[in-house]
């Protein structure tokens, strides 16, 4: 089956630092990947659509200068949380689509970010 | 994307079938019905999807009504490991299409 990985699985950082999260499609190529954020006891909220070789498309209310997305290859997208603050603490999840008739999205295991 | 409506929570006895309903009355003709589940502190797991016909795989069965305005996910023999939040989603085909999550159904499997 299609496998999506994320690294790291959890990270703790100090306020003001930047954190990079990687999302990889392990057994397929993905021209499009998606980044979600999930706060405790809430549903997943789409942050942005990551397109290989072009700029990401951000959802309304998501600061593109704070959440930098780079999709440099067909198997890797990165999300960098710049100048992180405690309110950025959340569960970040990526997804990717291997293609096919319905283009099922497969999700990574998530990255737990805690900003102190 | 068409919106979906799911009950916020359900209980099911271990070993019994779990039937999770979903209403999607505004679904468009080319939109698929997807089901995912999310176990605590993990990424969503794909379960099954369908367009018009009923579908079955090793995890579950998906029953879609003839008018496509609702569907039911069936876990034939629920186990404690099936305790999770189940999301019903409708989405057009295409890998670039966004997936919008609702609030889902919290399924609690009871011993």
């Amino acid at each position: 089956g299609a496998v999506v990985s994320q690294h790291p699985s959890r990270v703790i950082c100090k306020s003001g630092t930047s954190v990079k999260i990687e999302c990889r499609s392990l057994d397929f190529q993905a021209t499009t990947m998606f980044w979600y954020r999930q706060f405790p006891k809430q549903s997943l909220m789409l942050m942005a659509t990551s397109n290989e070789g072009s700029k990401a498309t951000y959802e309304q209310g998501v600061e593109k200068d704070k959440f930098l997305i780079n999709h440099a290859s067909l198997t890797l997208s990165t999300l960098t949380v710049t100048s992180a603050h405690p309110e950025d603490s959340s569960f970040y999840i990526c997804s990717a689509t291997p293609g096919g008739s319905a283009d099922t999205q497969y999700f990574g295991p998530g990255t737990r970010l805690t900003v102190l | 994307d068409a919106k979906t409506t799911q009950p916020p929570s359900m209980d099911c006895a271990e070993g019994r079938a779990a039937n999770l309903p979903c209403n999607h009355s505004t679904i468009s003709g080319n939109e698929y019905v997807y089901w995912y589940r999310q176990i605590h502190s993990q990424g969503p797991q794909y379960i099954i999807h369908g367009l018009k016909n009923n579908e079955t795989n090793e995890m579950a069965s998906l029953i879609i009504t003839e008018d496509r305005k609702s569907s039911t996910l069936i876990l034939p023999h629920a186990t404690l490991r099936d305790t999770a939040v189940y999301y019903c989603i409708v989405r057009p085909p295409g890998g670039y299409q966004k997936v919008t999550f609702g609030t889902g159904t919290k399924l609690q499997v009871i011993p």
Side-chain angles (χ1 to χ4, degrees):
Chain A
V3 180
V4 177
S5 71
Q6 285 184 239
H7 179 79
S9 58
R10 60 182 62 204
V11 56
I12 301 172
C13 69
K14 293 182 178 180
S15 184
T17 61
S18 295
V19 175
K20 179 183 287 187
I21 302 170
E22 294 184 347
C23 176
R24 293 182 184 273
S25 54
L26 297 186
D27 50 0
F28 63 95
Q29 294 182 331
T31 56
T32 304
M33 292 183 175
F34 299 89
W35 287 96
Y36 296 81
R37 179 168 53 180
Q38 185 176 33
F39 293 106
K41 299 190 177 183
Q42 294 186 23
S43 188
L44 283 77
M45 294 295 295
L46 180 65
M47 298 176 66
T49 303
S50 171
N51 302 297
E52 189 268 336
S54 65
K55 291 183 178 181
T57 304
Y58 292 83
E59 295 299 301
Q60 190 173 8
V62 177
E63 300 176 59
K64 62 180 181 180
D65 294 330
K66 182 170 183 60
F67 298 99
L68 302 179
I69 292 173
N70 184 282
H71 194 153
S73 78
L74 289 172
T75 59
L76 174 64
S77 175
T78 60
L79 169 68
T80 301
V81 183
T82 62
S83 186
H85 288 95
E87 57 265 30
D88 298 322
S89 298
S90 188
F91 193 49
Y92 292 87
I93 306 167
C94 70
S95 71
T97 304
S101 61
D103 300 309
T104 300
Q105 284 192 24
Y106 293 90
F107 289 80
T111 296
R112 176 74 58 191
L113 171 63
T114 302
V115 184
L116 302 177
Chain B
D1 293 350
K3 293 184 178 180
T4 62
T5 304
Q6 298 178 254
S9 64
M10 293 181 65
D11 291 340
C12 177
E14 188 178 19
R16 302 296 294 271
N19 297 283
L20 292 90
C22 179
N23 287 319
H24 31 80
S25 58
T26 59
I27 191 170
S28 299
N30 68 337
E31 289 184 314
Y32 285 79
V33 179
Y34 286 85
W35 283 83
Y36 290 86
R37 71 180 182 185
Q38 186 178 28
I39 297 170
H40 184 62
S41 295
Q42 298 181 24
Q45 177 188 21
Y46 164 76
I47 301 173
I48 199 167
H49 75 275
L51 183 62
K52 294 180 181 179
N53 299 322
N54 299 336
E55 303 287 345
T56 296
N57 62 20
E58 64 279 4
M59 289 183 67
S61 295
L62 173 60
I63 308 298
I64 303 174
T65 58
E66 192 168 346
D67 62 8
R68 301 210 325 125
K69 293 185 177 182
S70 66
S71 61
T72 301
L73 178 74
I74 301 172
L75 307 179
H77 305 287
T79 70
L80 298 178
R81 288 181 293 182
D82 292 322
T83 292
V85 178
Y86 287 76
Y87 296 99
C88 168
I89 292 160
V90 292
R91 183 178 74 95
Y96 55 91
Q97 297 284 359
K98 299 186 285 188
V99 170
T100 302
F101 284 82
T103 53
T105 296
K106 168 68 175 177
L107 176 67
Q108 183 72 48
V109 180
I110 302 168

